[in-house]
Amino acid sequence: SILNTNLSLTSSQETQTDGNVVVAAGGSCPATGCTTASIASSPMAAGNAGLSFSPPGTGFTGDVDITVDLSTLTGLDLPWLQYDWDNNLTHDNDPVGRVSFGLYSGTREYIYIREPWN
């Protein structure tokens, strides 16, 4: 079973200029511009934790990375679920997912659009 304590949330927005969403420490946002995560099922049921994020507020964009710690440090010891994401020829990287805020979906006036790729 993967518990919510095996998940870590990180945001690189403090060091970037293209986004301003940060992860709230302690699970509560002191002001707008941050997000908190909530998990409906711990441990996960059928691979679904029911993970959801609070909206950071109007005008705040950015992303949050969700990492599942599969190492022996957390007691999971699931190395067959790790992969070589950094291409160093060692399958030792945990899976990471990303949630994004403020993505532009484009104008909705098109029925079908195809962009040329050269």
Side-chain angles (χ1 to χ4, degrees), residues 37-94:
S38 62
I39 295 177
S41 300
S42 182
M44 294 183 187
N48 187 359
L51 184 62
S52 62
F53 292 86
S54 64
T58 304
F60 291 93
T61 61
D63 53 65
V64 174
D65 290 335
I66 305 107
T67 306
V68 180
D69 187 0
L70 301 172
S71 68
T72 57
L73 297 175
T74 59
L76 285 179
D77 193 20
L78 302 172
W80 58 88
L81 295 177
Q82 294 177 325
Y83 187 73
D84 184 21
W85 299 112
D86 56 3
N87 293 323
N88 67 354
L89 303 177
T90 306
H91 287 75
D92 60 349
N93 303 115
D94 294 325

Side-chain angles (χ1 to χ4, degrees), residues 23 33 49 75 84 113:
V23 178
D84 184 21
I113 186 168

